[in-house]
Amino acid sequence: MAILYFYKMYALVDCNNFYASCERVFQPQYIGKPVAILSNNDGCVISRSDEAKAVGVPMGAPEFKIKELLQEKGVKVFSSNYPLYGDLSNRVMKILEGFSPNLEIYSIDEAFMNFDGMTIADYTDYGVQIKARIHKWVGIPVCVGFAPTKALSKIANRIAKKFKDRTAGVYVIDNDEKRIKALKWTKIEDVWGIGYRLHKKMMLRKITTAFEFIQPQHEAWIRKEMGVLGMRLKYELEGKSVLDLEPVKEQKKTIATTRSFPKQISDYDEIRERVSTFAAVCAEKLRKQHSCCHTIIVMLIIDKHKVDTSKYYFNKALTLPYASNSTLTISQAAISLLKDLYEEAPNVKFKKAGVIVTEIIDEDKKQLQLFDEENPKHLSLMKAMDYLNAKMGERKVKLASQNPSLTWNMKQNFLSPKYTTNFNEILEVKCL
């Protein structure tokens, strides 16, 4: 069989068990021991170390259901520490920018790279350099997969992670022989873009591996069931690059701030404070990306597991007569929506609330209104508010309707310090 070599190469860099690895950076005593990270309000398991997987800790399991298992197996449990995880993620991505100017941050713990315009003699060695620098400078273990397409680099990364002893965490698909071998090894449900429903349909057609997926007899079915996206995936698995790196999205089209409460709440004043805070956070995010919104949505959610009712989800929307990113304007609009929702559901206990802002435009493209316009003093006030918060610490200056000492009211019984984002919680080293 002829061996075809590829010249355009992508890499997928994936942090191993990222949240658990972040906790271990500052608490190395848990290296080699089972670690599990819980979601907001210490709800479900969202990240596990390899050791936790080995002792049977299931992904997504509610903490209260597996409490005895966690204690029996000696699993160290942490509450989600998103400021820490976000900061360490940013550090990893900055390091990757030094290895290639062509970078697409895919998620908090994954990034694609390509090497257009660069000459790399040995991709395996280059991957080892990437791994070593990230581990030395940040302390996070990563795996690197190289391949001629983004979809194949995902598979290469999976192989690097699965066979760490043989690959040292780096695997390169650089010829057709390796590509076919990798596709035959990869289960169809592990292919990038194949979800649960597609997997079920493919099982009916006896498509069990990525290699079977690209066979000619399935092309018509792929076109019918998956459309253009399916054909793109097929081409990618065949080694034809059709998915380039995504450009950096400068502006979000919708911004949402939602949180579950530590307990069910029915008191209007308590929920009003939470809604006001969520609205303030949305407004702050709008200003950070230099944009304004036209529409505000407020939602309230009932815990369907504890209340037997025909309706669990309540929401209302309001379109402003002018685009705004003022905390005052957006918070007032959100509170007025909350009043209307309370008339629909009086004396109901809610588990979750949220504020969503949408119909977003650039702030320099805002159209002025002739008769109905926002108070021009808001602009200067918001600039002063953002300046003080940046100088004094996260969200020190707030509206009177907000709790001055609380932003996120969540159950976090196992929270670690914010070692890199809060000066008061910086790591202390004692020298004897």
Side-chain angles (χ1 to χ4, degrees):
M1 180 177 61
I3 297 178
L4 302 178
Y5 290 88
F6 303 97
Y7 297 99
K8 184 179 180 71
M9 294 293 282
Y10 289 84
L12 176 68
V13 181
D14 184 14
C15 301
N16 301 340
N17 309 318
F18 181 60
Y19 292 171
S21 295
C22 288
E23 299 290 354
R24 286 170 163 175
V25 169
F26 297 96
Q27 301 189 68
Q29 66 269 31
Y30 297 116
I31 294 176
K33 296 181 180 179
V35 173
I37 313 299
L38 302 178
S39 61
N40 288 337
N41 288 308
D42 292 345
C44 303
V45 176
I46 57 172
S47 180
R48 305 162 295 165
S49 66
D50 290 336
E51 296 80 8
K53 297 173 188 176
V55 298
V57 177
M59 188 68 166
E63 187 267 345
F64 73 91
K65 286 189 176 181
I66 59 169
K67 199 168 187 177
E68 292 183 2
L69 172 66
L70 296 173
Q71 292 175 349
E72 178 187 342
K73 301 297 182 180
V75 179
K76 177 61 179 177
V77 176
F78 289 97
S79 302
S80 298
N81 190 342
Y82 295 119
L84 176 66
Y85 308 154
D87 183 64
L88 293 185
S89 173
N90 289 335
R91 296 178 188 222
V92 170
M93 301 309 167
K94 285 292 182 184
I95 292 173
L96 293 179
E97 288 176 358
F99 285 93
S100 173
N102 308 314
L103 182 72
E104 176 195 336
I105 299 174
Y106 184 64
S107 67
I108 193 171
D109 62 344
E110 288 181 281
F112 287 104
M113 308 162 70
N114 77 25
F115 307 96
D116 292 350
M118 299 175 63
T119 302
I120 299 172
D122 187 336
Y123 282 103
T124 300
D125 179 66
Y126 205 62
V128 170
Q129 291 180 45
I130 293 172
K131 275 178 53 70
R133 187 174 299 179
I134 292 174
H135 194 266
K136 184 176 181 179
W137 290 10
V138 185
I140 299 293
V142 304
C143 285
V144 188
F146 293 91
T149 71
K150 290 173 72 175
L152 285 173
S153 71
K154 273 271 193 180
I155 291 176
N157 186 281
R158 179 176 286 273
I159 293 171
K161 190 173 289 186
K162 181 70 174 179
F163 304 103
K164 289 179 189 174
D165 294 339
R166 280 186 267 173
T167 65
V170 178
Y171 189 71
V172 182
I173 298 175
D174 55 0
N175 61 56
D176 215 41
E177 185 178 42
K178 286 185 178 180
R179 179 185 69 86
I180 291 172
K181 185 178 180 180
L183 294 181
K184 288 181 177 179
W185 172 81
T186 304
K187 295 177 182 178
I188 190 62
E189 62 265 32
D190 294 332
V191 173
W192 186 32
I194 302 297
Y196 175 73
R197 291 181 180 177
L198 278 174
H199 175 227
K200 287 181 67 176
K201 291 180 179 179
M202 289 183 187
M203 289 295 102
L204 294 175
R205 288 188 63 88
K206 298 183 179 178
I207 301 174
T208 60
T209 67
F211 182 73
E212 291 170 352
F213 175 77
I214 66 171
Q215 297 310 301
Q217 65 267 29
H218 300 303
E219 184 169 324
W221 181 84
I222 293 171
R223 286 183 186 276
K224 180 182 176 182
E225 293 292 333
M226 301 177 66
V228 174
L229 295 178
M231 290 307 299
R232 286 177 180 172
L233 177 59
K234 181 177 183 293
Y235 294 146
E236 286 265 317
L237 296 177
E238 290 172 341
K240 306 166 190 172
S241 179
V242 295
L243 299 175
D244 207 348
L245 297 184
E246 295 283 342
V248 177
K249 295 179 182 178
E250 296 181 357
Q251 187 186 88
K252 293 182 179 179
K253 295 181 180 179
T254 298
I255 294 174
T257 303
T258 64
R259 290 291 187 278
S260 296
F261 306 135
K263 61 179 182 179
Q264 296 184 83
I265 300 176
S266 60
D267 183 72
Y268 171 76
D269 289 333
E270 284 188 68
I271 297 181
R272 183 193 62 179
E273 189 279 326
R274 291 289 82 202
V275 167
S276 178
T277 295
F278 298 162
V281 173
C282 286
E284 179 187 312
K285 291 179 179 179
L286 283 170
R287 295 194 295 274
K288 280 186 177 179
Q289 68 174 31
H290 304 290
S291 58
C292 299
C293 75
H294 275 289
T295 301
I296 296 104
I297 303 168
V298 173
M299 64 177 188
L300 298 173
I301 299 175
I302 297 172
D303 189 344
K304 62 182 179 181
H305 300 293
K306 296 184 178 180
V307 179
D308 185 16
T309 179
S310 58
K311 188 174 181 181
Y312 299 99
Y313 183 90
F314 298 82
N315 71 292
K316 272 192 175 297
L318 173 66
T319 298
L320 299 171
Y322 43 78
S324 176
N325 59 16
S326 165
T327 298
L328 293 169
T329 300
I330 294 174
S331 180
Q332 285 178 338
I335 290 173
S336 70
L337 290 170
L338 177 66
K339 289 179 181 177
D340 293 339
L341 287 174
Y342 247 74
E343 292 179 2
E344 290 184 21
N347 303 318
V348 174
K349 291 185 177 181
F350 296 101
K351 179 60 180 175
K352 186 176 182 179
V355 174
I356 303 169
V357 294
T358 186
E359 291 190 67
I360 292 174
I361 62 169
D362 293 331
E363 62 182 2
D364 58 359
K365 295 180 181 177
K366 177 181 176 181
Q367 292 185 347
L368 298 177
Q369 304 296 316
L370 186 59
F371 300 110
D372 196 358
E373 186 54 79
E374 190 171 54
N375 189 330
K377 293 182 180 180
H378 283 205
L379 179 62
S380 298
L381 180 60
M382 292 303 104
K383 285 183 178 179
M385 186 176 178
D386 291 339
Y387 170 77
L388 290 171
N389 281 333
K391 183 178 180 179
M392 298 170 59
E394 184 181 4
R395 302 185 179 105
K396 294 293 184 183
V397 181
K398 299 183 177 183
L399 301 179
S401 58
Q402 296 178 252
N403 187 326
S405 60
L406 182 68
T407 298
W408 308 122
N409 183 21
M410 293 189 293
K411 177 183 175 183
Q412 294 178 305
N413 293 333
F414 313 104
L415 185 64
S416 59
K418 301 176 180 65
Y419 297 103
T420 63
T421 60
N422 188 326
F423 192 81
N424 295 323
E425 298 181 21
I426 196 169
L427 185 68
E428 296 182 4
V429 179
K430 297 181 179 179
C431 299
L432 301 177

